[in-house]
Amino acid sequence: MTGTRGSVRRQVRIARSAGDVWSLVGDPARIAEWFPGIESATVEGTVRTVVTGAGMPIPEEIVTNDPLQRRFQYRLKTPAIREHLSTLDVFDLGDGSCLVSYSADAEPATMALVIAGAAGAALHHLRDLMEAD
Amino acid sequence: MARKILLVTTDQQRYDTLGCNGSELARTPVADALAAQGINYQRAVPQSVVCMPSRSTILTGQHPSTHGVWMNGVPLPGDAPSFAEVLRTAGYRTALVGKSHFEPFFDPFVRFPDNALSATGTTPPNGSHRGFEHMELATHGAQGMLHYARWLRSEHPEALGMFYPTVDAELQVNAAGGGDTGAPQVHVNPVPRGWYHTDWVADRTIAWLDTLDPDADWFCWMSFPDPHHPWDPPESEMARVNWRDVPLPAGFIESTEQREAVIDAKPRHWRMWYDGSLISNYEAPARWVPATLTADQVREVNARNAVECELIDEALGRVLRAVDARGWAEDLDVIFTTDHGELQGDFGLLFKGPYHVDGLMRLPLIWRPAPSSAATPAVVRSPVGLVDLAPTICAIAGVDRPDWMEGHALPRSDGDGAGRVLTEWDSELFGVDVHLRTVTRDGWVCTTYLPGTVHDGSEGELYDLSDDPLQMLNRWDDPGRRAIRDDLVADLHEAQRPARNPRPDVEAPV
């Protein structure tokens, strides 16, 4: 941890098809629908700007948005974070359900826990949302 | 009318920092008087030695494995029970003023109700949160989004830079030293006393009490953030204690060779932290190496800690006078305690972590029953737990103890209590896992280790409190104590409760 870089992963299994889940999480403009604490998001080209519950706009660079792999990656661009990459994957489990994984790699390490911790709660919210439909 | 209840908690306060418990450094006449009039528990033990799990235990009357807050950074689940809700349902007015910490502080998304509430007022959106109809929250300084920090930003913005920054640019607990000795988390704070969080907590408590009808039944949890680090009390008060005159605590072994020999007889994470080769938890500065701690640094930390304890005592006295002025004194029960202790120089260590010894495990706990109840003053030496506070408060209020509470009302004399207290530690931080289970019983403290990053599950600690009050001698491998060890371990295993399933995730560092 004193090495300053950290990686944290959270995951959840959802009883909906990978395609259904990807249709929501693969649309970067819709993150506010499933990520508690993000009030809004706008996308311009490869830049997404989210506004948090504190009213703070955070610009993000979209690195990957691959519907074939069902992988979405982005980097936060704020002075508090030296380096960051978050990766969201939706894995088809072949039985009509899927596994959604969210990993955060960041320097400083503590930020990886802050981001993935919030994302973990968001995944649970996503599951509740998708399985209620 | 029912009895009024004032629960006073501090944060990270040692048993021996009150005059009634032998402190010769801090003068605490208010707490001492409460102890003389009431019941002083001399072996009060937390169920966790860090804030969030311990505070969740106070609120729920459950052990960490049950309520689910198994380490700092795990929010107390929204469906967790609360004694405050029991009281509110029974007609009590309820408030929490000061540090709550049932939910993480690191919350850039403002996902947690405590943090969100501070932006909107003092009344939770649905009329109450965790049973509290009024919440005014604070933590250890000017950082963050809680009521106290917002008040400072609004009313005294010039004070924002006066406090010690509790985390550094890496978002780690700050290791930067200050004061005269360069001790970590020591800082000269020019903030006027009236702007400091201790007096703010008392001010806001009195302000809430002033809103109540004279015949209201009320419960208030007044929760001081001090004497938790940083040790940055208002500098105007530091003339009270000259750190150069402070005696070294009995638990601080001046000889490096002897100190390290004692540490080496304990499970190896002790020595690894001491040497700076293992960071198992977020609560101590990761960049500070305990082996560098000097005697003078211990003196300065203890001096500043003592001043913080005195300020708390004076603030409590002010609140009690306000209660008296309202005519409630005869019907007021006061419980004074803390969430966990502080190593504060013991074994050459500061702060806290997976170390189940008296510095962290022996807490001040005083219950001064309402004078109208004509209770008999007493000293209770048998172990009790913070898990017992919730059922005690229910008993004071005259409401039945709910089945979900795992503790029992505090005994009023020796021999009345359960006699066995359990403590848990679980931490998993960036690949380092540490797990302890401890029982305090019959004058012994016995800790077993579960397999983790640096333990294989065979390790343990066994201390005889009667002839080793400082826990210098680990008797885990003493053949002459094998029978008592086996008995305690069997009792400990049998007493374990099933953990909440699924286990809640860590959502933030703290």
Side-chain angles (χ1 to χ4, degrees):
Chain A
M1 187 170 163
T2 48
T4 74
R5 186 174 183 82
S7 299
V8 179
R9 189 177 76 173
R10 297 285 185 259
Q11 59 194 32
V12 66
R13 184 172 181 170
I14 298 177
R16 288 288 297 270
S17 73
D20 286 351
V21 173
W22 177 256
S23 69
L24 175 57
V25 301
D27 183 345
R30 297 181 66 190
I31 188 170
E33 294 180 35
W34 61 274
F35 200 117
I38 292 182
E39 300 296 316
S40 65
T42 54
V43 179
E44 292 184 26
T46 60
V47 176
R48 175 172 68 179
T49 302
V50 300
V51 177
T52 72
M56 179 170 58
I58 300 177
E60 303 168 339
E61 177 193 355
I62 298 171
V63 178
T64 305
N65 190 357
D66 184 340
L68 294 178
Q69 291 188 82
R70 298 191 186 94
R71 164 168 284 196
F72 181 83
Q73 292 179 298
Y74 68 97
R75 295 185 192 279
L76 287 170
K77 297 289 188 184
T78 73
I81 302 176
R82 198 166 299 127
E83 201 268 319
H84 160 259
L85 178 68
S86 275
T87 301
L88 186 147
D89 288 304
V90 182
F91 300 106
D92 187 350
L93 296 180
D95 61 356
S97 71
C98 64
L99 184 76
V100 184
S101 165
Y102 188 109
S103 64
D105 303 292
E107 182 182 354
T110 305
M111 193 51 79
L113 182 51
V114 172
I115 296 167
L123 292 185
H124 288 292
H125 183 65
L126 174 68
R127 181 188 59 198
D128 294 345
L129 204 64
M130 297 301 297
E131 293 184 352
D133 275 355
Chain B
M1 284 197 302
R3 282 149 70 174
K4 329 299 179 194
I5 305 168
L6 179 65
L7 171 63
V8 184
T9 58
T10 64
D11 194 348
Q12 199 162 302
Q13 182 172 9
R14 290 172 64 102
Y15 171 85
D16 54 13
T17 56
L18 296 181
C20 57
N21 293 338
S23 171
E24 296 178 351
L25 203 54
R27 293 160 299 179
T28 55
V30 177
D32 299 349
L34 293 172
Q37 298 158 9
I39 306 162
N40 188 3
Y41 297 88
Q42 296 194 342
R43 182 59 61 180
V45 180
Q47 280 53 76
S48 168
V49 297
V50 291
C51 299
M52 293 181 69
S54 187
R55 289 161 183 273
S56 297
T57 287
I58 293 173
L59 185 68
T60 63
Q62 298 177 335
H63 291 80
S65 54
T66 303
H67 59 59
V69 184
W70 54 276
M71 67 177 275
N72 271 346
V74 178
L76 181 63
D79 62 357
S82 156
F83 76 77
E85 182 59 30
V86 175
L87 265 57
R88 196 178 74 89
T89 302
Y92 268 74
R93 304 290 305 276
T94 55
L96 193 163
V97 181
K99 184 177 175 185
S100 54
H101 212 186
F102 309 124
E103 299 154 10
F105 291 143
F106 271 86
D107 185 17
F109 299 99
V110 199
R111 295 181 298 126
F112 299 111
D114 281 5
N115 299 325
L117 171 65
S118 302
T120 58
T122 56
T123 303
N126 298 318
S128 71
H129 178 51
R130 302 193 188 282
F132 299 103
E133 64 180 62
H134 179 92
M135 300 181 87
E136 283 189 82
L137 305 176
T139 184
H140 307 289
Q143 294 175 317
M145 60 186 83
L146 298 178
H147 294 90
Y148 174 67
R150 290 179 186 275
W151 174 78
L152 267 185
R153 281 198 292 272
S154 167
E155 303 299 319
H156 307 291
E158 66 273 34
L160 298 180
M162 296 178 181
F163 289 81
Y164 182 84
T166 53
V167 296
D168 62 19
E170 301 279 317
L171 300 179
Q172 294 284 344
V173 175
N174 203 342
D180 294 325
T181 65
Q185 296 266 333
V186 162
H187 176 67
V188 175
N189 186 350
V191 70
R193 175 179 174 171
W195 302 356
Y196 193 63
H197 41 74
T198 297
D199 276 9
W200 183 87
V201 168
D203 291 344
R204 300 318 303 157
T205 299
I206 293 169
W208 180 72
L209 292 172
D210 283 344
T211 68
L212 302 179
D213 291 336
D215 59 352
D217 298 328
W218 57 265
F219 166 83
C220 182
W221 184 342
M222 180 168 66
S223 180
F224 295 104
D226 265 357
H228 188 291
H229 58 273
W231 294 289
D232 65 346
E235 198 59 21
S236 59
E237 307 304 311
M238 281 310 300
R240 297 163 182 246
V241 182
N242 184 342
W243 69 261
R244 292 175 178 83
D245 298 333
V246 171
L248 287 169
F252 180 77
I253 308 166
E254 285 195 80
S255 159
T256 301
E257 186 180 7
Q258 290 176 11
R259 182 193 316 149
E260 293 178 354
V262 167
I263 290 174
D264 285 342
K266 301 178 186 299
R268 64 183 183 139
H269 69 293
W270 280 81
R271 180 62 190 254
M272 295 175 76
W273 181 41
Y274 174 82
D275 284 339
S277 61
L278 179 76
I279 307 299
S280 64
N281 54 294
Y282 187 77
E283 290 78 21
R287 291 184 176 78
W288 175 69
V289 177
T292 64
L293 183 68
T294 68
D296 278 352
Q297 288 177 336
V298 173
R299 288 188 176 95
E300 187 168 21
V301 165
N302 282 325
R304 290 177 172 276
N305 183 285
V307 170
E308 293 179 352
C309 291
E310 289 192 1
L311 295 180
I312 290 168
D313 198 70
E314 291 164 13
L316 171 57
R318 199 152 55 85
V319 171
L320 294 179
R321 287 194 293 277
V323 170
D324 194 14
R326 293 295 308 271
W328 290 322
E330 280 297 301
D331 292 322
L332 176 70
D333 281 69
V334 183
I335 297 175
F336 179 99
T337 190
T338 189
D339 55 354
H340 54 80
E342 155 68 52
L343 286 163
Q344 219 164 307
D346 286 358
F347 310 102
L349 305 170
L350 291 175
F351 308 108
K352 55 190 182 282
Y355 311 97
H356 284 177
V357 290
D358 269 15
L360 300 182
M361 291 266 285
R362 190 181 190 190
L363 310 182
L365 172 59
I366 297 163
W367 174 21
R368 202 292 308 272
S372 61
S373 70
T376 303
V379 171
V380 171
R381 296 171 183 82
S382 55
V384 298
L386 296 184
V387 71
D388 298 325
L389 294 183
T392 303
I393 290 167
C394 285
I396 294 168
V399 298
D400 291 337
R401 168 184 173 274
D403 291 341
W404 40 263
M405 288 186 183
E406 295 174 340
H408 299 277
L410 287 166
R412 291 170 177 265
S413 63
D414 271 326
D416 289 348
R420 174 218 284 143
V421 181
L422 305 176
T423 307
E424 310 169 17
W425 173 282
D426 291 289
S427 58
E428 299 176 7
L429 187 67
F430 295 110
V432 178
D433 298 4
V434 182
H435 310 280
L436 286 66
R437 297 291 181 270
T438 296
V439 61
T440 302
R441 198 199 77 186
D442 297 335
W444 293 86
V445 177
C446 177
T447 296
T448 62
Y449 285 72
L450 282 65
T453 304
V454 296
H455 305 117
D456 64 13
S458 66
E459 302 86 347
E461 291 174 72
L462 180 66
Y463 301 110
D464 182 348
L465 296 174
S466 63
D467 73 356
D468 182 22
L470 300 174
Q471 295 101 62
M472 294 288 174
L473 181 58
N474 182 10
R475 292 187 161 96
W476 181 256
D477 292 321
D478 179 350
R481 304 297 194 281
R482 186 61 194 238
I484 185 69
R485 167 184 147 179
D486 288 349
D487 177 54
L488 289 165
V489 169
D491 189 30
L492 175 60
H493 288 164
E494 189 176 337
Q496 295 303 306
R497 292 167 172 80
R500 184 184 174 105
N501 187 22
R503 188 180 74 167
D505 287 336
V506 181
E507 296 192 21
V510 68

